[in-house]
Amino acid sequence: MAWEGPGFVDRHTHLLRVAAGRVAACDPSDPEGVQAYHRRVIERWSTPMDEPEQPLALDDGLRGALERALDGAAALGLVEVTEAGMHDWTYLEALLALRARGPLAVRVRLLVASGIADADRMQRIGDPWLELVGVKFYADGWLGARTCAMRAPFADRPDDTGILFLDADTLARRADPFAEAGWTIATHAIGDRAIEVVLDGYERLFGSDCPAAAPRIEHAQVLAPDLVRRMADLGVVACIQPSFAVADARTARAALGEQRWEHAYRWDALVDAGVRVVAGSDFPVAPLEPLVGLQLLCTGETLDRRRTGAPTLSLERALAAMTDAGAGTVVLSDDPHRIPEDEVAGIEVVEARPAAG
Ligand SMILES: [Zn+2]
């Protein structure tokens, strides 16, 4: 029985970067490599969003690759994607050229990497198909590599509290011209200390205007009750990854120990506290398929049904985080409410219809 509902939106992906053939600076399956990379970056007072890259060439190869990537995203049921850290303005030029020929396969939103963002030059496009939305900053490392910034040492590394790339003052100072111009500020923060520092930075930056500005924290994995409360009070938006709790379950337990693990990945606690929760795959770290993410988020199990004990969200809450009726409509071969949660990834996408307004 076909089902029509709000379209899937991916609010944190690296789709364009992958399409352009850019290899990641480090491989997530190689924790030591990630750690070495994060150390190199902090040693030169930089962040992963500020590292210079080889310029992209604007040519048919790039335009074609981006077009195919957007077609592929639409085939998976997505109606909108947000590139979480655009490191080169050439992506925008290539997308504008595609857009000049007609509507894009999915709506595209761009968060500009802090390293190339320029408040004097950035302008809104005013196009439902293609829009600049804000700037992405990067506060700490990753959990698997034990480089996220922690309040207390990792359970399995008693002398190590991870890596903090930005302190609250630096974040507030750097984000200020963009916040002033009304751009969304989105900051990568995984460890509890990084989340706290980013909240301090947002409080300094926005004061009582924080809820209206709705700045984002990307990932927000190692939560604690006080951080959840502050996120709710400040009106900070959490951008979570539907498959991370499952993918990280084993390593998160080892890195955090049972007590901290209990508060980690608690998207339900965020929703209960009134925090706005949106979702993004973080492709290519996790699959782009929203139906795969939806199943993992609702079951807390791997696709081959191995139980991970990861926290979950109800189907209603998961869909609310992963879809946006204003961005478009998706038609599925089955109603996700009517089939068992562990079969959701098998639903077929009939059609994705992005909204043109
Ligand atoms: Zn990412």
Side-chain angles (χ1 to χ4, degrees):
M1 216 28 191
W3 177 83
E4 194 176 304
F8 288 106
V9 292
D10 190 329
R11 289 205 163 90
H12 183 131
T13 178
H14 305 279
L15 182 66
L16 305 180
R17 193 183 162 76
V18 170
R22 286 290 145 130
V23 271
C26 49
D27 170 6
S29 66
D30 167 24
E32 264 129 57
V34 175
Q35 209 172 86
Y37 169 67
H38 286 158
R39 289 236 167 84
R40 277 201 306 280
V41 171
I42 187 78
E43 268 163 25
R44 49 185 179 243
W45 303 94
S46 180
T47 87
M49 277 295 134
D50 294 290
E51 286 288 282
E53 294 198 359
Q54 283 297 325
L56 274 176
L58 179 64
D59 57 20
D60 286 344
L62 178 65
R63 286 184 283 262
L66 297 185
E67 187 167 40
R68 282 190 296 280
L70 301 184
D71 286 342
L76 300 176
L78 290 162
V79 294
E80 185 178 297
V81 296
T82 299
E83 185 77 3
M86 183 181 77
H87 287 265
D88 193 318
W89 287 103
T90 304
Y91 289 105
L92 177 58
E93 286 183 57
L95 290 165
L96 285 166
L98 292 178
R99 175 65 184 102
R101 292 200 318 217
L104 303 178
V106 295
R107 293 151 54 106
V108 177
R109 299 290 178 267
L110 302 166
L111 283 169
V112 182
S114 53
I116 67 160
D118 179 345
D120 294 331
R121 288 221 209 139
M122 280 167 56
Q123 280 191 343
R124 249 158 251 285
I125 300 168
D127 180 353
W129 294 98
L130 178 61
E131 189 57 284
L132 285 176
V133 291
V135 181
K136 182 176 173 194
F137 292 91
Y138 214 97
D140 70 341
W142 304 354
L143 183 59
R146 313 292 192 272
T147 52
C148 59
M150 302 297 297
R151 285 165 158 173
F154 293 103
D156 53 1
R157 277 183 194 238
D159 297 320
D160 193 350
T161 54
I163 292 175
L164 189 70
F165 292 114
L166 287 174
D167 59 34
D169 281 330
T170 307
L171 175 62
R173 179 177 48 76
R174 290 192 60 192
D176 183 65
F178 303 104
E180 191 65 39
W183 297 107
T184 295
I185 306 301
T187 308
H188 165 117
I190 288 178
D192 49 12
R193 178 155 167 254
I195 295 171
E196 182 167 32
V197 162
V198 171
L199 293 176
D200 288 345
Y202 285 168
E203 203 165 14
R204 231 157 277 183
L205 180 58
F206 295 109
S208 57
D209 295 335
C210 200
R216 292 169 37 164
I217 289 187
E218 309 302 299
H219 313 305
Q221 283 158 231
V222 187
L223 292 162
D226 65 301
L227 298 174
V228 171
R229 249 189 327 273
R230 273 191 82 195
M231 285 180 77
D233 289 347
L234 289 169
V236 169
V237 176
C239 180
I240 64 142
Q241 286 56 57
S243 61
F244 274 19
V246 168
D248 291 356
R250 186 206 293 248
T251 179
R253 276 210 188 87
L256 303 176
E258 281 305 318
Q259 213 183 337
R260 279 182 296 188
W261 155 254
E262 237 172 77
H263 298 293
Y265 304 87
R266 290 299 301 275
W267 322 132
D268 54 337
L270 288 174
V271 177
D272 284 340
V275 175
R276 180 165 169 236
V277 174
V278 299
S281 63
D282 208 9
F283 172 79
V285 178
L288 188 63
E289 288 92 331
L291 286 161
V292 168
L294 182 62
Q295 177 172 325
L296 297 174
L297 186 53
C298 292
T299 62
E301 294 176 3
T302 60
L303 290 178
D304 52 16
R305 312 236 164 115
R306 266 178 305 165
R307 296 168 66 86
T308 63
T312 59
L313 279 184
S314 69
L315 183 76
E316 270 330 303
R317 286 177 158 190
L319 277 172
M322 295 181 69
T323 62
D324 180 357
T329 305
V330 68
V331 183
L332 302 175
S333 62
D334 261 307
D335 180 346
H337 305 84
R338 283 168 173 267
I339 69 165
E341 282 183 348
D342 57 2
E343 292 174 18
V344 162
I347 296 177
E348 273 169 48
V349 175
V350 179
E351 197 192 351
R353 277 187 233 129

